[in-house]
Amino acid sequence: MNGWYRGMLLALVLTIGSERAYAQESTSESGFVRLDMRAIATGSGSDIVVDRGASDLIEVGDSAVFFPRGGATRTGEVLRVEDRSAMVRLSGVGQPVPIGTRAEVLIPRARFDRAGEPAPEAVSEAELVLPDHPPWENQDEEWSSDKPLLAEIKAIRPEDRSMVISGRVYIIGDGTYTTEPGRSDSFLRVGTDVDYLNPFGKGGGLHIDAEGNYRITNTPDQADESDFLTRLDRFSYARGGDRFIPNRTEYGRFLQRGMPEFGVLDGIEFGRKLSDGEHSGWSFGFMPEPDAEYQTGEDFQVAFNRTWKLDDFEGVTVDGGYQKTFHEGNSDRDLFVTKVVRLPKDGWDFYGTAWVDLYTSGDGAKGSGAEVTQLHLSTNREYEDGLELGFTYSSFRFPEVDRNEYTTVNDTELADGESQRFWVDVSKPRTKDSSYVGRVGTWRDEFETGADLEAGIELEDWYLDNSLTTVTLFGTNGRFSNIAGLRFAYGLYSDSGTWDLFAEASRRELDDFSSDVDELPLYRLRLTRGFQTKSGWDVDLYGEVLSWQEESAFSLGFFAQRGF
Amino acid sequence: MMSQSNQNRSRHLWIGVAFAAYVMVACVTSYPRIKNGWRDELGPVIAHDSFPLQCDSCHVGGDWQTLVEGFTFDHEAETGVVLNGAHDQAQCLRCHNDRGEVATFVEQGCAGCHEDIHIGTLGTRCDSCHNEQTWRPRNQVAMHNRTGFSLDGVHAATSCRNCHQGAEVGRFTPTSSECVTCHRDDLARANNPNHFGLGLIDRCDRCHMPTRWNQVETQ
């Protein structure tokens, strides 16, 4: 069908079919802009939904013409208009209009003038001819009944994709100087995360995370220290674990995915997707020491894990895993980890994880048997009125391991050392822009017990739009001191960046000291400015002053990162 | 005090690190940064069946792989989901990738997409320390007060790594609150009076206050 015929047909339709358009504009096509559209759904009876709407300046009463592939042009009138779609009622009797059928509507140019939008220039027939398309290379995927009929576009398989490098670099600098002469601590950190997609044409990804740290610590009366350490946090190649290849394999240095609790690995991890979201996996390799250097080669591990999905509706999953480690070739740790997660659509969520160490007669400080060395339980809920409640319990005991994992632990601490905490968080809306926040907690270790309490208010858009203000009163009963204080935080967020002001004033009463020296006031003031440069760097600059008695410390620092 | 050779070594290291930083910055800044990090060659990696049928919103004619120049996607307007802070700048593929429906992972909270470098030892409430504006932690001093070992005086201006050896890699496992755990070297150096000789090897807080770095204040 040529353009002249379509124009005449539309003019005829507009003349006899649309009283509104007829009254407004001449029926000459030059007074209209032709708008192409498609039938995207069928409604009841002879109603058709098209993919153009109010945003294209279509109005109720406009007339449309449909051009089915087999001929038998149908006309209709727009009955209802949404932002990006419209419903057209076909007039007369004829063959049904299939979904996907091309259609046209003429929009009066005057309507563009009213809307303050420039009307598109008329398109010549020559311009309507699309250039020849090169032969299609991708093959259609097999269709099955569970797939939609429309817009099923073949996704490019990972192995067919171009090699792409992306990632970020970051630079952090920080210096802390005190009023005590010769005392300072500063560092400069440069790091990068790089993702190299499909580097070998197999569809996997190469991931590299690395950083270098340079530190200088100046101490009066002692030799100053400086060191430069580089660390490779990740260097791995992973493939699979997606909708194309259910089984996932990762080689190199990486944080274990199946059970992150087992830590960073220099080795191989294999994961297998099972039905209904369950999966299992195993891994083996060396474990770098979890410190600034990640030295490796002394600790070897094998591990297994399994995830069960118990309840789809409540979102309940259970993970179980076992890790066996060897330190310098000798048997070291038998660790069982279990994790339960409940994520219902509504109601209390739950997260719990328990680390259970199994000891044998060779573990002198603990003796044979099992011990829960880490336990984390938390449950939270948000009610319809905005009230949020959260209960959290956490406990830790030092496991008896040969691996260099914890800051010096002696036999007494191994036997008796413990850290337990329980706290309740609450947030209750006060008005549309403010809410009360509070927290009460208790702690316990092998020496003492204590508690902490915080109560405050959060104000949105106080004084300035796009701001968040928090004022908090707090008190702590600690092992060596009791604290009472006030905290004030003001954050301003806008397109030009962020400002964060943090101030804290507290009075600390030190235990076991005479009354003239047992009070320690402490003041902290911190200002942070965040912004993005035109070249794409995200930058944070901050300065901080900390003051207590006759001493003060000043910190200046920056954090800059850029994605690529 | 730092010896001359150490000072030279230190100066060279600073210069070396600064130069490496400069090279890295120069290289990366010359690399194109694209809003949301989308590139033509990534292709349609996610199913389009829920997308609008106005293909030309994103594609140019004749080639599905090429997106319109200046392609942007208003996530809030198109999906109703607001992306704040760093999420607004993130690459689309960080979330929309071959793993499956994003909604499945969103339900899992931060852990649905982010690796837990704390290996499960700090719970699931990432927003206690982090926010969407920056992943840098905040309020650590305030939170430390809740552990029973409040950071008084000089402790509030001390690097975490001095007591938590895994701090540089995100491991904040508890450390015993006994002073000697972190001050073992200080105890070994204390010879006026000779602490070891006098048996003064524990309960440092009987004499020392946490107010100064080195000099002690006694009752």
Side-chain angles (χ1 to χ4, degrees):
Chain A
M1 182 179 294
N2 61 42
W4 179 86
Y5 177 79
R6 283 203 305 265
M8 290 301 292
L9 181 60
L10 271 166
L12 181 63
V13 167
L14 284 164
T15 305
I16 62 176
S18 173
E19 191 176 323
R20 184 160 172 254
Y22 179 80
Q24 287 176 338
E25 302 291 343
S26 77
T27 55
S28 164
E29 188 174 346
S30 60
F32 294 85
V33 173
R34 190 169 63 226
L35 184 68
D36 289 331
M37 53 192 189
R38 293 274 179 183
I40 57 172
T42 54
S44 60
S46 57
D47 293 342
I48 301 290
V49 178
V50 295
D51 62 347
R52 299 282 192 171
S55 60
D56 305 297
L57 302 184
I58 289 180
E59 293 183 357
V60 172
D62 287 352
S63 293
V65 182
F66 292 83
F67 304 98
R69 282 178 179 273
T73 303
R74 300 288 306 271
T75 60
E77 179 181 330
V78 176
L79 279 186
R80 195 171 69 235
V81 179
E82 304 289 340
D83 184 38
R84 291 180 180 277
S85 64
M87 179 172 286
V88 178
R89 174 156 296 169
L90 298 173
S91 56
V93 179
Q95 293 294 319
V97 172
I99 293 173
T101 298
R102 195 174 59 77
E104 290 178 357
V105 62
L106 290 187
I107 307 292
R109 285 188 181 276
R111 199 174 292 169
F112 286 92
D113 298 336
R114 284 206 309 271
E117 294 180 12
E121 293 299 322
V123 181
S124 69
E125 287 299 320
E127 289 173 310
L128 285 174
V129 178
L130 292 175
D132 289 337
H133 189 279
W136 295 100
E137 295 178 356
N138 292 336
Q139 299 301 310
D140 289 339
E141 290 189 323
E142 290 184 10
W143 182 84
S144 58
S145 58
D146 60 334
K147 292 180 179 176
L149 284 170
L150 276 178
E152 173 66 12
I153 296 173
K154 172 186 167 67
I156 297 180
R157 290 180 176 278
E159 60 269 27
D160 296 332
R161 293 178 192 157
S162 303
M163 298 176 191
V164 175
I165 296 177
S166 62
R168 65 165 184 147
V169 296
Y170 56 91
I171 303 172
I172 306 173
D174 183 284
T176 298
Y177 310 90
T178 69
T179 50
E180 183 182 6
R183 173 81 64 179
S184 67
D185 192 354
S186 53
F187 74 85
L188 180 67
R189 175 176 301 161
V190 181
T192 186
D193 302 344
V194 178
D195 291 334
Y196 190 176
L197 295 182
N198 198 21
F200 309 120
K202 302 291 185 184
L206 185 67
H207 308 279
I208 303 170
D209 301 349
E211 68 178 38
N213 285 282
Y214 180 50
R215 292 184 177 275
I216 295 180
T217 303
N218 296 321
T219 313
D221 307 325
Q222 292 178 41
D224 297 335
E225 298 174 5
S226 67
D227 56 46
F228 178 66
L229 299 174
T230 55
R231 188 178 68 250
L232 195 58
D233 289 309
R234 185 173 184 180
F235 187 85
S236 69
Y237 177 76
R239 182 169 181 265
D242 51 42
R243 61 198 173 114
F244 300 108
I245 307 173
N247 296 337
R248 181 179 189 277
T249 312
E250 187 159 10
Y251 315 83
R253 170 172 291 182
F254 53 90
L255 177 63
Q256 300 192 48
R257 174 170 287 198
M259 187 67 85
E261 286 80 354
F262 292 154
V264 175
L265 186 71
D266 288 336
I268 298 173
E269 181 183 26
F270 177 80
R272 184 165 180 239
K273 270 189 176 177
L274 306 172
S275 60
D276 299 329
E278 299 190 355
H279 58 82
S280 64
W282 52 263
S283 65
F284 70 90
F286 287 97
M287 306 167 67
E289 291 188 9
D291 56 22
E293 297 176 75
Y294 265 171
Q295 288 185 341
T296 190
E298 290 189 345
D299 299 280
F300 186 82
Q301 70 103 53
V302 291
F304 308 91
N305 68 83
R306 175 77 159 84
T307 298
W308 294 269
K309 201 167 185 177
L310 299 188
D311 186 329
D312 273 336
F313 185 74
E314 295 289 335
V316 179
T317 56
V318 175
D319 287 62
Y322 168 71
Q323 183 185 47
K324 174 67 186 174
T325 65
F326 301 87
H327 181 71
E328 295 180 337
N330 301 314
S331 175
D332 189 9
R333 189 176 194 183
D334 293 276
L335 173 65
F336 293 89
V337 174
T338 183
K339 192 162 51 180
V340 179
V341 178
R342 177 179 185 266
L343 296 166
K345 303 286 184 193
D346 186 27
W348 291 93
D349 65 25
F350 175 81
Y351 169 82
T353 179
W355 300 33
V356 181
D357 275 85
L358 187 65
Y359 301 117
T360 64
S361 55
D363 297 300
K366 297 283 190 178
S368 58
E371 179 184 41
V372 177
T373 47
Q374 288 196 56
L375 181 64
H376 301 276
L377 308 170
S378 70
T379 181
N380 301 273
R381 179 167 187 179
E382 181 177 355
Y383 291 87
E384 287 184 3
D385 62 358
L387 173 68
E388 291 180 46
L389 277 174
F391 298 85
T392 307
Y393 172 79
S394 174
S395 80
F396 175 85
R397 295 180 68 88
F398 290 106
E400 183 170 358
V401 291
D402 296 326
R403 170 177 157 83
N404 180 26
E405 187 159 353
Y406 302 97
T407 306
T408 313
V409 184
N410 58 38
D411 283 352
T412 305
E413 289 166 347
L414 268 180
D416 303 327
E418 65 169 340
S419 170
Q420 294 187 62
R421 297 165 63 202
F422 171 74
W423 66 93
V424 181
D425 289 299
V426 60
S427 171
K428 181 175 174 49
R430 174 173 162 265
T431 64
K432 179 174 170 289
D433 298 324
S434 66
S435 55
Y436 297 111
V437 291
R439 171 199 160 93
V440 57
T442 180
W443 60 268
R444 169 192 167 97
D445 64 15
E446 67 270 34
F447 306 106
E448 287 184 27
T449 60
D452 66 272
L453 177 68
E454 292 184 10
I457 187 167
E458 281 185 355
L459 305 169
E460 288 182 24
D461 301 333
W462 176 71
Y463 192 65
L464 290 173
D465 287 343
N466 299 317
S467 66
L468 178 65
T469 308
T470 309
V471 182
T472 312
L473 284 167
F474 64 94
T476 298
N477 170 221
R479 183 184 170 198
F480 297 103
S481 62
N482 297 319
I483 308 173
L486 176 69
R487 203 175 288 134
F488 173 83
Y490 189 80
L492 185 61
Y493 309 99
S494 69
D495 291 339
S496 63
T498 62
W499 288 96
D500 275 297
L501 175 69
F502 177 85
E504 181 180 297
S506 61
R507 175 184 171 279
R508 290 147 196 260
E509 185 180 301
L510 307 176
D511 289 350
D512 301 329
F513 286 88
S514 56
S515 60
D516 58 337
V517 292
D518 69 345
E519 285 188 11
L520 175 66
L522 191 143
Y523 306 98
R524 176 188 291 269
L525 182 66
R526 182 184 182 95
L527 182 64
T528 305
R529 167 74 172 138
F531 59 92
Q532 191 176 67
T533 67
K534 286 182 180 175
S535 56
W537 284 88
D538 295 303
V539 180
D540 271 6
L541 305 173
Y542 60 88
E544 180 172 308
V545 180
L546 182 68
S547 177
W548 66 98
Q549 284 187 334
E550 68 271 21
E551 291 285 345
S552 294
F554 306 90
S555 296
L556 289 173
F558 69 91
F559 169 76
Q561 74 167 349
R562 186 184 190 277
F564 59 89
Chain B
M1 297 298 289
M2 192 181 287
S3 67
Q4 187 64 36
S5 62
N6 276 344
Q7 282 184 352
N8 287 337
R9 179 171 166 269
S10 172
R11 189 176 299 119
H12 290 153
L13 275 170
W14 270 115
I15 293 170
V17 172
F19 180 72
Y22 171 77
V23 170
M24 186 174 284
V25 168
C27 290
V28 171
T29 301
S30 64
Y31 202 86
R33 186 178 195 273
I34 306 165
K35 166 82 171 174
N36 300 131
W38 190 265
R39 296 184 191 153
D40 299 346
E41 57 266 45
L42 293 173
V45 296
I46 56 174
H48 281 44
D49 47 288
S50 62
F51 281 21
L53 290 183
Q54 290 167 300
C55 309
D56 58 356
S57 300
C58 306
H59 298 276
V60 298
D63 177 8
W64 289 116
Q65 308 306 321
T66 305
L67 300 182
V68 296
E69 190 174 348
F71 167 72
T72 58
F73 186 80
D74 187 338
H75 204 275
E76 180 179 4
E78 300 292 347
T79 69
V81 177
V82 183
L83 297 180
N84 294 318
H87 288 130
D88 186 42
Q89 300 295 325
Q91 296 177 352
C92 308
L93 276 177
R94 288 285 184 186
C95 300
H96 299 277
N97 52 38
D98 296 330
R99 292 187 307 162
E101 289 290 326
V102 174
T104 306
F105 302 101
V106 170
E107 286 177 359
Q108 298 168 21
C110 308
C113 296
H114 293 275
E115 281 189 333
D116 180 8
I117 64 164
H118 308 301
I119 64 170
T121 59
L122 299 182
T124 55
R125 293 297 301 268
C126 308
D127 58 346
S128 301
C129 304
H130 306 278
N131 64 24
E132 292 184 291
Q133 304 298 330
T134 171
W135 202 242
R136 300 193 66 221
R138 55 198 168 88
N139 285 348
Q140 303 101 307
V141 174
M143 284 187 289
H144 207 283
N145 291 346
R146 302 165 181 165
T147 66
F149 186 87
S150 57
L151 297 177
D152 302 327
V154 293
H155 294 111
T158 300
S159 295
C160 306
R161 68 189 178 107
N162 288 346
C163 297
H164 299 278
Q165 71 171 29
E168 302 241 34
V169 290
R171 299 284 297 276
F172 294 97
T173 48
T175 298
S176 172
S177 58
E178 280 293 87
C179 306
V180 73
T181 303
C182 302
H183 292 283
R184 193 173 300 277
D185 292 343
D186 298 320
L187 175 64
R189 283 194 298 265
N191 52 16
N192 185 23
N194 185 327
H195 282 46
F196 270 113
L198 296 171
L200 303 173
I201 57 173
D202 60 2
R203 291 296 311 278
C204 311
D205 57 316
R206 286 176 298 183
C207 303
H208 295 265
M209 297 179 67
T211 49
R212 300 203 64 175
W213 295 96
N214 222 11
Q215 186 177 343
V216 301
E217 295 187 18
T218 56
Q219 296 186 66

